[in-house]
């Protein structure tokens, strides 16, 4: 059956995708291609029920995209007008949009941009499903209920060297390849600090899964080693949650470092090695990672706590319905004509179905809130898509009460001082007056997380 599904999935045509669409559904494949004057054009192929062929809609030149400041992506309609406005006429009666990005759109949460009309967000009125390819709509997949999970969080990055040695003995692994993964990026040279909120996050998720009888293995503190993660290969876990530090750096950034030997991979430009090289520049950190990050040597054959996307790609994670990467920049990677060479590529090659990942550095506390709410939604029977959307809304609208003094000290104190003459007296009064605020209303707290291939 598995072989039959594999062969069938290789033969999918646009007609198969069209047949999978409902009357309120639209499938969109974004693409980019070179045009005259060394420019690059972005366009969209749109397919709806009843169409005999996809419709091509020109969008914008890449130079137009690059002229928009990243700070304006989620606070103005500039990017919305480039990407969604030209397609608006085709989406009047559409409720569900299934899209596959290309180029720079891989690294932008285009499903969470400001609405093209009025206030709010494009996702307020329509459901935007991000796909690795629109053929996902027509794929034959086994739909298994989540029965087992592994959760990582609250990891001890300064774990003793002996812990790493013992875990390599505890989890003996068959190694079909050897990849040194001592990362020494500019932002990791001095090691990393622990993330206190990730332990709360992991423990809360563990309790939530236990309530619905999911057999879960919880890895915190010094238990969450790279060796323990690799030991999951072949175990057919249904759900994997990893709350830790993630990293990604470009080839240009890597060249600024003087001893990243593991990036060389024979210095070949052949396609296979280009992908391999790119996938060693993104990864996840596990317990004990600071030994390698600070340049300390470990015994030969001992996993250093730095798991690269290339190493993940060689694992057997078939049966993994969803992997949640509650870490920074886990959705980034090197963009090519064949997708993003990064963590999402690694997990997909290993056999994962759906990925929840981030596009930028995320706030520890806001992420803990979002993930806890996501699992509460998921275990109550909501779909992955609904669970994330409602969790993001929860964080966005979350209110807390603070004194005026606390508010000004934390967010706008300098402006507060400049606008008032009797500063000390007013500060004294504001120390007791209470006000309600939404501390995580900004998209930077909740829009980083995107869900890939959550259609089944």
């Amino acid at each position: 059956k598995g072989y039959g599904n594999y062969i069938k999935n290789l033969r999918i045509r646009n007609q198969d995708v069209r047949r999978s669409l409902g009357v309120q559904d639209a499938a969109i494949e974004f693409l980019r291609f070179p045009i005259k004057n060394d420019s690059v054009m972005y366009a969209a192929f749109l397919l709806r029920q009843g169409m005999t062929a996809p419709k091509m809609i020109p969008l914008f030149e890449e130079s137009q995209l690059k002229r928009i400041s990243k700070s304006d992506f989620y606070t103005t309609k500039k990017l919305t007008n480039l990407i969604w406005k030209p397609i608006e006429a085709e989406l009047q009666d559409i409720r569900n949009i299934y899209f596959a990005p290309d180029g720079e759109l891989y690294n932008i949460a285009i499903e969470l941009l400001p609405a093209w009309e009025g206030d709010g967000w494009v996702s307020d009125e329509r459901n935007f499903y991000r796909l690795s390819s629109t053929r996902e709509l027509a794929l034959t997949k086994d739909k298994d209920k989540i029965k087992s999970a592994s959760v990582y969080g609250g990891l001890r990055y300064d774990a003793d060297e002996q812990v790493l040695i013992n875990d390599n003995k505890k989890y003996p692994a068959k190694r079909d390849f050897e990849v040194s993964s001592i990362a020494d990026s500019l932002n990791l040279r001095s090691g990393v600090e622990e993330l206190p909120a990730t332990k709360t996050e992991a423990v809360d998720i563990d309790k939530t899964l236990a309530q619905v009888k999911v057999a879960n293995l919880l890895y915190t503190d010094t238990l969450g080693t790279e060796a323990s993660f690799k030991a999951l290969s072949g175990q057919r876990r249904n759900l994997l949650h990893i709350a830790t530090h993630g990293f990604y750096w470009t080839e240009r950034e890597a060249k600024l470092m003087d001893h990243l030997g593991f990036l060389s991979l024979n210095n070949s430009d052949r396609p296979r090695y280009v992908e391999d090289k790119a996938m060693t520049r993104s990864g996840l950190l596990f317990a004990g990672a600071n030994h390698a990050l600070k340049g300390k040597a470990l015994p030969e054959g001992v996993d250093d706590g730095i798991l690269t996307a290339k190493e993940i790609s060689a694992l057997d994670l078939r049966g993994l319905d969803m992997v949640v990467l509650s870490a920074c920049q886990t959705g980034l990677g090197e963009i090519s004509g064949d997708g993003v060479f990064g963590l999402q590529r690694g997990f997909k090659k290993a056999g994962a179905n759906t990925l929840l990942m981030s596009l930028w550095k995320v706030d520890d506390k806001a992420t803990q809130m979002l993930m806890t709410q996501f699992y509460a939604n998921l275990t109550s029977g909501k779909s992955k898509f609904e669970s994330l959307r409602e969790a993001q809304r929860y964080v966005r609208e979350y209110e807390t009460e603070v004194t005026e003094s606390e508010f000004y000290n934390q967010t706008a104190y300098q402006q507060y001082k400049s606008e008032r003459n009797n500063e000390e007296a007013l500060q004294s009064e504001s120390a007791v007056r209470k006000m309600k605020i939404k501390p995580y209303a900004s998209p930077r707290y909740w829009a980083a997380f995107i869900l890939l291939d959550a259609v089944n």
Side-chain angles (χ1 to χ4, degrees):
K1 181 178 182 298
Y3 177 74
N5 287 346
Y6 176 77
I7 295 299
K8 181 180 178 181
N9 291 341
L10 293 178
R11 298 172 178 167
I12 290 174
R13 302 171 300 165
N14 80 74
Q15 293 92 333
D16 300 312
V17 174
R18 186 185 62 213
R19 279 192 288 270
S20 69
L21 297 173
V23 67
Q24 290 187 307
D25 299 343
I28 298 175
E29 285 275 354
F30 290 99
L31 70 153
R32 60 176 181 166
F33 53 90
I35 55 177
K36 62 181 181 179
N37 300 324
D38 296 324
S39 184
V40 174
M41 185 75 188
Y42 279 74
F45 275 119
L46 183 141
L47 186 64
R48 295 181 52 175
Q49 192 181 84
M51 295 175 65
T52 57
K55 180 178 181 178
M56 181 178 173
I57 304 171
L59 298 178
F60 55 88
E61 289 189 47
E62 193 166 70
S63 58
Q64 293 175 271
L65 175 61
K66 291 183 176 180
R67 283 198 293 269
I68 300 177
S69 169
K70 290 183 179 180
S71 62
D72 289 338
F73 282 3
Y74 307 97
T75 56
T76 73
K77 297 181 185 292
K78 293 178 182 179
L79 195 55
T80 306
N81 290 336
L82 278 189
I83 298 171
W84 295 118
K85 192 70 173 176
I87 314 175
E88 179 187 9
E90 301 291 338
L91 303 176
Q92 293 300 319
D93 55 346
I94 292 299
R95 177 64 178 164
N96 303 305
I97 299 172
Y98 301 91
F99 72 95
D102 193 14
E104 294 300 322
L105 304 188
Y106 281 120
N107 293 337
I108 304 172
I110 64 174
E111 59 269 59
L112 295 170
L113 296 178
W116 52 76
E117 289 182 356
D119 297 326
W121 314 90
V122 295
S123 57
D124 289 340
E125 299 297 327
R126 294 175 174 84
N127 302 322
F128 288 80
Y129 296 85
R130 178 180 290 251
L131 305 175
S132 51
S133 166
T134 54
R135 74 189 188 104
E136 291 285 328
L137 294 169
L139 290 180
T140 302
K141 296 182 179 179
D142 294 326
K143 298 181 181 179
D144 294 327
K145 183 179 179 181
I146 294 178
K147 300 175 183 177
S148 61
S150 293
V151 176
Y152 286 78
L155 306 183
R156 182 78 64 82
Y157 303 111
D158 285 322
D160 188 85
E161 176 183 316
Q162 193 60 45
V163 170
L164 303 182
I165 296 172
N166 292 342
D167 258 30
N168 271 258
K169 294 177 181 177
K170 181 180 177 181
Y171 302 108
K174 178 183 177 183
R175 303 185 184 280
D176 297 323
F177 65 94
E178 287 295 332
V179 180
S180 170
S181 56
I182 298 177
D184 186 29
S185 78
L186 296 177
N187 61 338
L188 298 178
R189 282 185 186 273
S190 299
V192 293
E193 296 180 354
E194 294 180 11
L195 302 170
T198 63
K199 185 166 186 178
T200 304
E201 176 183 326
V203 171
D204 286 347
I205 291 169
D206 180 55
K207 292 177 180 177
T208 301
L209 294 174
Q211 291 173 356
V212 291
K213 303 295 190 295
V214 172
N216 181 51
L217 294 176
L218 178 62
Y219 299 88
T220 62
D221 203 73
T222 59
L223 296 177
T225 61
E226 181 184 358
S228 72
F229 179 87
K230 288 182 176 178
L232 299 177
S233 182
Q235 290 192 16
R236 302 191 75 86
R237 311 293 287 180
N238 304 132
L239 173 65
L240 179 60
H241 181 95
I242 310 172
T244 185
H245 287 286
F247 66 90
Y248 164 72
W249 61 92
T250 65
E251 186 171 11
R252 184 187 65 81
E253 290 169 333
K255 287 180 179 178
L256 297 176
M257 305 161 211
D258 48 16
H259 50 282
L260 278 171
F262 74 99
L263 290 176
S264 62
L265 289 167
N266 300 330
N267 293 317
S268 173
D269 289 328
R270 286 179 290 172
R272 182 167 73 90
Y273 290 107
V274 170
E275 176 179 341
D276 286 347
K277 288 164 66 177
M279 288 175 64
T280 57
R281 298 199 299 270
S282 63
L284 300 167
L285 303 186
F286 288 84
N290 277 344
H291 285 281
L293 294 177
K294 294 177 180 178
K296 297 179 181 179
L298 289 168
E300 185 176 352
V302 174
D303 289 310
D304 54 22
I306 304 170
L307 184 71
T308 66
K310 175 171 170 53
E311 291 177 292
I312 293 169
S313 71
L315 301 178
D316 177 7
L317 298 181
R318 287 174 294 175
L320 182 56
D321 182 58
M322 180 169 63
V323 55
V324 179
L325 301 175
S326 181
C328 297
Q329 300 179 312
T330 50
L332 301 183
E334 184 163 317
I335 298 171
S336 74
D338 197 27
V340 180
F341 293 158
L343 281 168
Q344 59 178 282
R345 181 75 160 202
F347 276 104
K348 277 292 184 177
K349 290 183 74 171
N353 178 21
T354 300
L355 279 78
L356 176 54
M357 51 199 174
S358 66
L359 294 176
W360 58 79
K361 293 182 179 180
V362 291
D363 179 82
D364 198 21
K365 178 60 178 177
T367 300
Q368 178 251 313
M369 291 174 55
L370 185 145
M371 289 299 171
T372 300
Q373 192 63 35
F374 171 75
Y375 281 99
N377 297 337
L378 189 67
T379 54
S380 70
K382 292 182 172 65
S383 69
K384 302 168 193 170
F385 175 82
E386 292 172 322
S387 296
L388 177 62
R389 182 175 61 179
E390 293 188 14
Q392 288 173 319
R393 184 181 294 120
Y394 172 82
V395 173
R396 187 171 75 212
E397 297 178 356
Y398 172 78
E399 279 189 344
T400 187
E401 193 173 67
V402 298
T403 65
E404 286 187 34
S405 179
E406 289 172 331
F407 171 72
Y408 287 119
N409 283 334
Q410 292 175 9
T411 61
Y413 185 50
Q414 295 303 319
Q415 180 181 353
Y416 169 72
K417 285 199 302 183
S418 65
E419 292 176 353
R420 290 160 173 79
N421 295 324
N422 193 351
E423 175 189 327
E424 292 184 5
L426 284 171
Q427 253 197 304
S428 176
E429 292 176 17
S430 69
V432 293
R433 286 201 301 263
K434 296 293 183 74
M435 63 187 300
K436 288 186 177 182
I437 63 169
K438 294 181 179 180
Y440 306 119
S442 170
R444 69 189 178 95
Y445 290 108
W446 50 266
F449 286 98
I450 56 173
L451 198 59
L452 180 69
D453 294 339
V455 292
N456 289 313

